Amino acid sequence: MPVKKIELDEKDEASLKNRLFIIVFGNNTKLGRRFDIILLWLILASVLAVMLESIPTIGPRNLTFFLAVEIFFTAIFSLEYLVRIWVSPHRRKYIFSFWGLVDLLSILPTLLYLLFPAYRYLLIIRSLRLLRVFRIAKLVKFVNEGQALGEGLRSSFYKISTFLFTVMITVIVMGTVMYVVEGPENEFTSIPQSIYWAIITITTVGYGDIVPQTVVGKLISSVVMIIGYAIIAVPTGIFTAAMVKAASHRKECEICKYANDMNAKYCSGCGVEVR
Amino acid sequence: MPVKKIELDEKDEASLKNRLFIIVFGNNTKLGRRFDIILLWLILASVLAVMLESIPTIGPRNLTFFLAVEIFFTAIFSLEYLVRIWVSPHRRKYIFSFWGLVDLLSILPTLLYLLFPAYRYLLIIRSLRLLRVFRIAKLVKFVNEGQALGEGLRSSFYKISTFLFTVMITVIVMGTVMYVVEGPENEFTSIPQSIYWAIITITTVGYGDIVPQTVVGKLISSVVMIIGYAIIAVPTGIFTAAMVKAASHRKECEICKYANDMNAKYCSGCGVEVR
Amino acid sequence: MPVKKIELDEKDEASLKNRLFIIVFGNNTKLGRRFDIILLWLILASVLAVMLESIPTIGPRNLTFFLAVEIFFTAIFSLEYLVRIWVSPHRRKYIFSFWGLVDLLSILPTLLYLLFPAYRYLLIIRSLRLLRVFRIAKLVKFVNEGQALGEGLRSSFYKISTFLFTVMITVIVMGTVMYVVEGPENEFTSIPQSIYWAIITITTVGYGDIVPQTVVGKLISSVVMIIGYAIIAVPTGIFTAAMVKAASHRKECEICKYANDMNAKYCSGCGVEVR
Amino acid sequence: MPVKKIELDEKDEASLKNRLFIIVFGNNTKLGRRFDIILLWLILASVLAVMLESIPTIGPRNLTFFLAVEIFFTAIFSLEYLVRIWVSPHRRKYIFSFWGLVDLLSILPTLLYLLFPAYRYLLIIRSLRLLRVFRIAKLVKFVNEGQALGEGLRSSFYKISTFLFTVMITVIVMGTVMYVVEGPENEFTSIPQSIYWAIITITTVGYGDIVPQTVVGKLISSVVMIIGYAIIAVPTGIFTAAMVKAASHRKECEICKYANDMNAKYCSGCGVEVR
């Protein structure tokens, strides 16, 4: 068999690469979908293994088992990565694409660990290995509906940035004021720490690890809370308006494809009567 | 009377079953509605009894009273369950329907407790008995408006799934990063624990039992909070768009196809009366 | 002056009552508005006095001052209450109306305290006096915009009830499950206590006084959090849809007053062409 | 060069002022934009310096460095402030405008500190210096999109005020009730403190520093939480309705008054070209 493979002429190889490309990158064929589903379960299983390994009562007692599991998954994902590079028509483009980097990132930590086991920086490498959990990001590829949502977010991206920018400024100003009012003796040890408190408060998370002690501090705190409570309306309003607009049905003109209003009689794009 | 009942011919029994079916399952007749309301109050009373029994200062001192109350309610609900099975035209369908299982679940724990009192697994059985609180789920049947809301949720189910899926991935990735950054010495004892923290933070619940201690941890934490604060807009936008769309149902004119208001009498497009 | 007042014939008294009625109950005349604004500031001042009195470092040291202030405000509000009763054309209706009861409630505690100072139930009466803070509720009268919002809420009242009802059932079921899972040793001391925890969690308040300790508890907890985070969309969607509908402009027919669509050519109510 | 500058006749000076005005106040020319971007980075750098100085492990060890940095930034911003005053056609108007005051506020604390270093009120002056963080507010000027959002907020300002007013009254009433129910022994030490608790709870922040201990307190607490959870819908609904309305601007046909889409070329109502 290997002999035969070597003897494959260029056309056959191209055809094999093409078929593999359709299976590995596409999801329109039956085989392509099956490949995707198997990969999906492998990713989930490998993420689960990483999680289980991190639990103090499970991981340290089964080091050999988890190492074996890890090598198994890394081997599979490495193979997948190499195949993807091989069959890709624009190799460089794939390697430096977002998903190419995610694919690399999900195998790199284990490879480093296996290649340089002699090094004493084991602890740091171990935490690098945790990056394998990023494999979960691969799952996003399987979602199409995400794109619709993404477009909704993108169309209101600039407005949401403005909102976040305003929140940022509010948080910096309020954090500084609280640092002056409460001071280091009440856990507001520095401006960044006070800004951290302001973020906790304005997002209504409210851990309670840093809380105002003075009367003035509580007053300002109340203002920050109510601001946070009221301005949640802003991102919601922006995004909802975008969604409502997207949801409003349109009657497409058969001639110029202009998306007319549902109750239009004449096309707004070319002036011809529409049905 | 019992003699007469036994003498009932098949037609009479069928008629009795039919009438009972209308009373027990339907809510269009006066008797059916009265039956529903009495059942409603019985369910609420029984749930209240379970709650009161669980309070340390009330339950243990009145064991006999609560046992009697429990037997009383179980007898009534068992009778109701048997009647429902008897009068149902498709018995198997009812038994294995959602509400059939809820009806069974609300009597089973007490029956088990009464049938096998000798068993020493009292504590476990006691907690099973708490499942009686699920009787509260029976109340949902009485709500019609729920269906309208349910449809709104269903129509945006796929989008909300995508949203929850994205939240899930964010939470796993952020949890893992925090586990690496904070480590077991700061209560981030394992990846699942860190993911639990990420869920607490992204949903803006913020218990405060697990909080970041390091500067980097607080930075990442702030990012998670702001993500959580901003993307609450997504489910809200999706659902609101669905509701707005549902609120603007239109009655199309048969002649000029103008999308009239639901309560229009004459078409706004051509002036002809619309049905 | 008092002599002249007694000599007033019935017509004059009726005219005085009428003028007072317009000042006290109305807000269309200059005097009526001025009366409202003075009353507004008096209410705010009296509420502030009650608040200040409750502060441990202020109240106990100035008992005589706060008593004098209290008698002053009670005298004014008592006078206002009596005038309102006197000038009201439907006295019984006013006395038992919501605002009539609020007016009574805001003077009653102090009157009781002044009439029966010998009684030793001082502490309880003192807390009754705190009800004077309800005077703040009088302020609502000055808000007209509130009605528009109120209508929005009322039109979606039934849907919001259904939502709250579903939340209630979720909270009872989840609370009971957590009581079984966590048990009294982890602060989930009773079912009502566990339901209290579920409310804290589903509303994303998250005090952190009751937190799950077991792995299963944390898992269920996460589900409750995500439910709470996602279904906030429901009341928001309902209310927003109502607001959007209310905000959509309408073209009123000059003949039948039907609120036509903005782009209607013919009135939907009577079929006549509209401008 | 300075000699030549002095010799500038009035026309030249006016022309220099004019050119500087376009660069400093405008953002339409290339130079104006470049000036804005450089200023942006200087502001960010200076704010960062203030933050770093406040950190206990960084600030006290590098006092001289931070003082130098501070003098550097203050010199630049003072120069900018003077140039703005010089080139402004309406000097008084600029000085007392919002941004004029912000510009002054961002240099004043350091100037005071440098001018009166002998004074022993160093600690208070140090906290005044923290006001330099307000420089961040200058950034808002660079955002144009903010205006669109601002208009959305302004158009619904009155409704949001009503909402906040209602929240305020709810919070005062609930806080007082809780003060009566829980009392000073459970951390509800005064009415203002209890109102602070009510704000923490209704905004779903939930620090957990003040929590109810009694059964009645927990019940009222639950009501406040659910109110807070449900009425978040109100500001969101108001703002979203304003955004949706703003998103659906229409271009009215001059002939048939049909409300066309903003990018329509031909009227949907009569087929005539629209401007």
Side-chain angles (χ1 to χ4, degrees), chain A residues 101-151:
Chain A
L101 292 172
V102 164
D103 287 344
L104 181 62
L105 217 69
S106 67
I107 53 169
L108 209 64
T110 317
L111 288 182
L112 282 173
Y113 175 72
L114 292 173
L115 292 171
F116 311 104
Y119 281 75
R120 289 296 90 191
Y121 304 115
L122 275 177
L123 278 170
I124 293 162
I125 292 173
R126 268 201 73 77
S127 42
L128 274 179
R129 284 175 66 204
L130 289 166
L131 292 171
R132 289 168 298 154
V133 109
F134 282 110
R135 279 167 196 159
I136 202 91
K138 286 182 164 190
L139 289 182
V140 177
K141 275 195 281 195
F142 297 101
V143 186
N144 279 325
E145 189 76 9
Q147 290 192 313
L149 277 183
E151 252 168 68

Side-chain angles (χ1 to χ4, degrees), chain A residues 188-226:
Chain A
F188 291 80
T189 49
S190 66
I191 295 186
Q193 171 89 341
S194 300
I195 291 170
Y196 173 63
W197 165 86
I199 293 170
I200 289 175
T201 304
I202 213 169
T203 58
T204 77
V205 169
Y207 281 144
D209 52 346
I210 313 163
V211 286
Q213 302 295 335
T214 65
V215 171
V216 180
K218 283 174 183 177
L219 215 76
I220 296 166
S221 200
S222 301
V223 171
V224 175
M225 282 175 213
I226 289 170

Side-chain angles (χ1 to χ4, degrees), chain C residues 54 134 145 193 204 206-207 228, chain D residues 159 173 191 197 201 206 218 229:
Chain C
S54 81
F134 282 110
E145 189 77 6
Q193 170 90 341
T204 77
Y207 282 143
Chain D
K159 269 178 190 145
V173 170
I191 294 186
W197 165 87
T201 304
K218 283 174 182 178
Y229 187 62

Side-chain angles (χ1 to χ4, degrees), chain A residues 191 201 218 229 250 261 268, chain D residues 54 193 207 228 261 265-266:
Chain A
I191 295 186
T201 304
K218 283 174 183 177
Y229 187 62
R250 290 287 165 154
D261 218 81
S268 297
Chain D
S54 82
Q193 170 90 340
Y207 281 144
D261 220 80
K265 280 180 175 173
Y266 298 93

